[in-house]
Amino acid sequence: MAMMLDESEASDAELIGRAKGGDRRAFSTLLERHYDFVYRAAYRWCGRKADAEDIAQEVCVRLGKAIRDYRGGAAFTTWLYSVTMNAARDMMRKTARETVKTEAYGVHALTSGKAFEPEDPAEALWAAVRQLPDKQRDAVLLVYGEGLSHAAAAEAMAISETTVSWHIHEAKKRLKTLMRSAGEV
């Protein structure tokens, strides 16, 4: 009788291989192992708990099919970050479409009051990061939020390492301006 590895002791590579073959327990273990990473990345991207939970759940659903496409050329978390950012962008586009429809039909007037002002300086900084253009925001989230190298961030974003460095440089300039206007610097 073949001896099965304890799911918690199996490496990501072993779990991925078994999940690709249809092993639901391996897939479940992989999700449990990386759910906090997905949620954290989603939260840093959107800044709202409910939206981050929705994005994380969407990633879990997408992974059921997407795991078959994982080739193993990059670290699993790098690939998983790309899946998470795509889900976050899709949610943002969906929300934007719904907002346009709502405004067009006049069914529900959106309040344009001032957004929540975080008291924590770190949260104020992350709120400013969320205002950056997409590529700058993603580069900052990967490098400073997740601690990836510029090379790993480049792989996740499917751009060159030099371009990641440029996005980080531009983001720092823009963040300085944003933080000054918010009275944080």
Side-chain angles (χ1 to χ4, degrees):
M1 188 184 322
M3 197 163 111
M4 294 292 292
L5 279 177
D6 180 15
E7 299 292 326
S8 63
E9 295 176 13
S11 71
D12 281 355
E14 292 171 292
L15 291 172
I16 291 165
R18 292 177 20 212
K20 282 181 169 186
D23 184 334
R24 290 181 182 193
R25 282 186 40 188
F27 182 75
S28 176
T29 300
L30 199 59
L31 279 179
E32 287 174 24
R33 188 176 287 177
H34 294 285
Y35 183 83
D36 289 342
F37 169 80
V38 170
Y39 174 81
R40 187 177 62 245
Y43 182 80
R44 284 196 177 122
W45 197 88
C46 68
R48 289 177 301 281
K49 183 179 177 185
D51 289 346
E53 290 168 351
D54 289 346
I55 292 167
Q57 288 301 311
E58 178 64 21
V59 169
C60 291
V61 170
R62 287 182 183 192
L63 281 180
K65 291 181 181 177
I67 193 74
R68 293 181 186 109
D69 296 332
Y70 176 67
R71 301 285 178 237
F76 181 68
T77 52
T78 301
W79 178 79
L80 186 56
Y81 188 85
S82 295
V83 172
T84 303
M85 291 301 93
N86 287 336
R89 286 186 196 102
D90 289 348
M91 188 188 92
M92 182 182 70
R93 284 190 288 272
K94 180 182 176 187
T95 301
R97 283 191 306 270
E98 289 172 359
T99 300
V100 167
K101 286 179 188 176
T102 300
E103 289 174 350
Y105 293 111
V107 175
H108 178 66
L110 296 175
T111 59
S112 60
K114 192 166 182 164
F116 170 71
E117 293 288 333
E119 292 179 21
D120 179 15
E123 186 53 39
L125 178 60
W126 286 114
V129 167
R130 288 187 283 278
Q131 295 176 33
L132 294 172
D134 289 349
K135 295 286 186 179
Q136 290 177 16
R137 180 189 56 240
D138 291 352
V140 169
L141 289 173
L142 284 167
V143 172
Y144 294 105
E146 297 305 321
L148 296 180
S149 68
H150 286 215
E155 194 170 335
M157 294 174 69
I159 59 177
S160 73
E161 186 175 346
T162 312
T163 305
V164 169
S165 298
W166 180 81
H167 284 306
I168 294 286
H169 174 73
E170 292 299 309
K172 285 179 179 179
K173 290 190 316 190
R174 189 166 291 198
L175 283 171
K176 192 178 284 188
T177 303
L178 287 170
M179 296 303 284
R180 275 194 189 125
S181 67
E184 294 291 330
V185 177

